[in-house]
Amino acid sequence: SNVSAISGATGDDLQKLRDKAREMGAQTKFSASESADAMSYMAMAGWKTDEMLNGISGVMSLAAASGEDLAKTSDILTDGLTAFGLKAEESGRMADVMASASSNANTNVSLLGESYKYCASTAGAMGFSLEDVTESLGLMANAGVKGSQAGTTLKNAMINLAKPTDAMAGVMEKYGISLTNADGSMKSWNEIVEDLRNSLGGLSEAEQTSAVATLFGKEATAGMLAVINAAPEDVEKLNTAINN
């Protein structure tokens, strides 16, 4: 009955959703009723029957791994996938990335979901990957920059690099920072971050702070400094976890 109320589906589709809810109830710690509740958030996000069937496993895996409420996890995951421009069948990928970041950085699923609200659509539009974006968010979280602050920081950084003011462009030219390769192809977000580390990492604290503040704005300085100055072992640990 829970599925009937939320899906708007009839006939074969309705039976498929009921069967999937029962299957998830048998395979996980969540009940069939809770599975149907999770599907309700998928329906509200505009997901069709096939998308719900493909996406529910990732939602439930993430909820189980994180200890978050199932319905809330469904809400976070559906919003995140939509913002990044990803498809429902990639819910498992997003679940893995969020769980890995939560286990290997000082953050959690709720905080990452809040960050995605502010930066994921910009990142998706610019072609930056879920994995790279989440790595930067994790490194910021290790320095206490989390949730909406981290998401806003990353969004502003991406926009400023793409559409710099004259002052920003001057800093980019001075330190050889660019969004594109020599052949004009777009760099990944992690490639851009590595450029920032190579260009700004060796500067004095005052020079580095000045350059970062000019590039990204004062409010984003703390977060971007955390990404640029993250310990190599912390970067490697998080990168390996997220991409494995």
Side-chain angles (χ1 to χ4, degrees), residues 136-137 139-146 149-150 152-154 157 208-214 216-230:
S136 284
L137 292 173
L139 295 173
M140 288 186 200
N142 286 343
V145 180
K146 308 179 185 185
Q149 183 184 2
T152 301
T153 292
L154 216 49
Q208 188 186 71
T209 301
S210 175
V212 170
T214 301
F216 306 121
K218 291 181 180 179
E219 292 184 358
T221 298
M224 290 309 297
L225 284 174
V227 173
I228 292 167
N229 293 324

Side-chain angles (χ1 to χ4, degrees), residues 17-87:
L17 290 170
R18 285 175 175 153
D19 290 345
K20 190 67 174 180
R22 292 191 188 104
E23 177 189 334
M24 291 294 98
Q27 292 181 359
T28 72
K29 71 173 189 176
F30 301 107
S31 69
S33 177
E34 288 173 312
S35 300
D37 288 341
M39 289 178 183
S40 71
Y41 284 92
M42 298 175 178
M44 283 190 285
W47 287 22
K48 307 303 181 188
T49 297
D50 285 347
E51 292 175 319
M52 285 190 263
L53 294 172
N54 288 327
I56 187 65
S57 180
V59 170
M60 299 184 82
S61 296
L62 184 59
S66 65
E68 294 279 359
D69 172 78
L70 180 59
K72 182 178 180 182
T73 302
S74 181
D75 201 18
I76 290 170
L77 204 61
T78 52
D79 285 351
L81 286 167
T82 300
F84 272 105
L86 299 175
K87 296 181 179 179

